[in-house]
Amino acid sequence: MRVGIIGATGYGGAELLRLLNQHPHVQDIVLYSSSKEGMNIQESYPHVSEIYYNELKSINIESVKEEVDTVFLATPPGVSAEWSGKLAVAGCQVIDLSGDLRLEDPDVYESWYKREAAPLSLIQDAVYGLPEWNRELIKTAKVISNPGCYPTATLLGLAPLVKNDLIEVDSIIIDAKSGTSGAGRSPSAITHFSEMNENFKIYQINQHKHVPEIEQLLHKWNKGISTVTFQPHLVPMVRGIMATIYVKAKKKTTEQELRELYRETYGHERFVRVRPDGQYPATKEVYGSNYCDIGITYDKRTGRITVVSVIDNVVKGASGQAIQNFNIMNGFEEETGLKLVPMYP
């Protein structure tokens, strides 16, 4: 197949290029940019020198539909709202890594993103691309809304509890930490080395754009859930997310019962690994891979369940999951191009 990447100079685009370059069913990769047209990708990313040579092309629907079968949009908010519908009408598969198509209610999107929403018809056509829980719809989708990084870690961690109605619906607290790559490549005061090195920051308190995305799917799974407490932090590392999730159990349980539930739920999933008794995952253990690792425990003294979910935010939280969706859409084995052993140390 021939694939295109719009937004190839961002971290998500660069990771797509790295992963798709060794995908056995990808014949050609075309890079597009609205701001750096004509520049060679090596100028932006020297690490691909002598591996990938093509220049960044301008985005033109007529030429794009002739050049590629699938388009990945690794772009800031607003770009997909403009281009995804046009690309889909032109006959391309579309996989959007931005948040433009994730929220079903345009008013909710505009409230959280502070910008105009995509057309409602496009939002309704988009399938939410969380493969472990939406695989059947992904198989026939033409437009995929790739989940956010924090929602991926959080939703995979919470799903077995929520879908089996095992927790108090108003008790969900998500304490999440991310590496700085999640903030994108453009420099800012919050990610400046002098600001982040040997530092630990809380940010976007009660305002993070991923909150309504998390709440939207949790509410679909359990109508009693309307809101959650979610708070992200930045830690001085490049990649990785750890979501530590605290919930109140509806009734007494045991750690063994919970672990059996998670193993039964995810036992056949290629990219979700449930840790054994007494073990809890660390971000380094999924670094550079498409895995989500989950640990779970129960405090019988407080009646609270703690779930620890870790991913690489650039892979399972973005580009790797996008390729997982690409594989499902095209009938390839789900792990094609993603058989990545985590990098350690």
Side-chain angles (χ1 to χ4, degrees):
M1 295 187 66
R2 305 164 301 161
V3 302
I5 303 172
I6 296 177
T9 58
Y11 290 144
E15 192 73 345
L16 280 168
L17 181 59
R18 179 178 78 91
L19 298 173
L20 290 168
N21 187 65
Q22 45 84 52
H23 194 292
H25 300 302
V26 172
Q27 173 186 338
D28 192 23
I29 305 171
V30 184
L31 307 183
Y32 300 95
S33 175
S34 58
S35 60
K36 297 182 179 178
E37 155 190 5
M39 186 183 78
N40 194 299
I41 190 63
Q42 298 176 29
E43 297 176 48
S44 185
Y45 288 113
H47 71 283
V48 301
S49 295
E50 300 187 25
I51 300 172
Y52 196 85
Y53 299 92
N54 290 12
E55 291 183 349
L56 298 168
K57 294 189 173 185
S58 62
I59 307 170
N60 179 286
I61 295 295
E62 292 304 314
S63 58
V64 171
K65 74 178 184 180
E66 297 298 326
E67 292 167 343
V68 302
D69 307 300
T70 303
V71 178
F72 294 87
L73 290 106
T75 55
V79 178
S80 175
E82 177 184 356
W83 289 103
S84 290
K86 298 174 184 176
L87 291 164
V89 168
C92 297
Q93 291 180 335
V94 177
I95 302 174
D96 175 32
L97 280 71
S98 80
D100 281 356
L101 308 181
R102 295 175 190 156
L103 300 181
E104 296 174 357
D105 186 337
D107 291 336
V108 174
Y109 176 91
E110 291 174 2
S111 174
W112 286 84
Y113 280 77
K114 311 301 182 187
R115 65 187 313 122
E116 186 177 352
L120 182 59
S121 59
L122 176 58
I123 296 171
Q124 291 173 338
D125 284 343
V127 171
Y128 191 67
L130 190 65
E132 290 76 12
W133 293 103
N134 220 12
R135 188 171 282 113
E136 291 307 310
L137 288 177
I138 294 169
K139 286 179 181 179
T140 57
K142 297 301 181 184
V143 178
I144 292 289
S145 177
N146 212 57
C149 50
Y150 283 126
T152 296
T154 299
L155 293 168
L156 290 175
L158 275 172
L161 300 176
V162 171
K163 290 179 78 69
N164 288 282
D165 197 23
L166 297 178
I167 61 174
E168 298 293 344
V169 294
D170 61 351
S171 70
I172 301 172
I173 299 174
I174 304 144
D175 181 22
K177 289 92 173 174
S178 174
T180 57
S181 60
R185 197 180 189 195
S186 298
S188 67
I190 194 173
T191 57
H192 190 288
F193 179 82
S194 298
E195 299 284 343
M196 267 315 304
N197 186 45
E198 298 184 22
N199 202 1
F200 191 166
K201 292 184 179 181
I202 192 168
Y203 71 104
Q204 293 186 12
I205 300 173
N206 300 326
Q207 298 178 8
H208 199 281
K209 297 178 181 67
H210 288 169
V211 171
E213 182 181 341
I214 293 169
E215 292 175 345
Q216 177 176 270
L217 195 54
L218 291 180
H219 181 70
K220 283 187 175 182
W221 291 341
N222 186 324
K223 298 303 180 185
I225 297 175
S226 58
T227 59
V228 301
T229 296
F230 170 84
Q231 189 52 57
H233 306 74
L234 278 178
V235 296
M237 63 184 186
V238 176
R239 290 177 182 243
I241 280 178
M242 175 179 284
T244 307
I245 306 164
Y246 307 95
V247 293
K248 184 81 172 178
K250 274 192 170 181
K251 60 181 181 179
K252 289 183 179 180
T253 184
T254 66
E255 194 165 310
Q256 182 180 1
E257 286 178 347
L258 293 170
R259 189 169 292 105
E260 287 175 358
L261 168 66
Y262 273 70
R263 285 180 172 164
E264 180 181 344
T265 301
Y266 290 125
H268 299 292
E269 292 296 341
R270 178 65 179 84
F271 293 115
V272 180
R273 305 186 296 189
V274 179
R275 289 302 171 87
D277 181 24
Q279 289 189 20
Y280 303 94
T283 57
K284 197 72 171 179
E285 293 159 0
V286 296
Y287 195 94
S289 80
N290 200 51
Y291 288 111
C292 174
D293 283 8
I294 297 174
I296 188 165
T297 187
Y298 175 68
D299 186 344
K300 60 184 179 181
R301 186 178 62 87
T302 63
R304 291 192 182 93
I305 300 166
T306 301
V307 181
V308 182
S309 178
V310 301
I311 61 171
D312 183 320
N313 59 292
V314 191
V315 189
K316 183 61 171 170
S319 302
Q321 185 154 245
I323 294 171
Q324 190 177 351
N325 283 316
F326 168 76
N327 288 337
I328 296 170
M329 293 168 79
N330 291 289
F332 306 142
E333 291 293 327
E334 206 160 314
E335 62 186 29
T336 305
L338 295 170
K339 296 179 182 179
L340 307 167
V341 176
M343 295 182 283
Y344 201 97

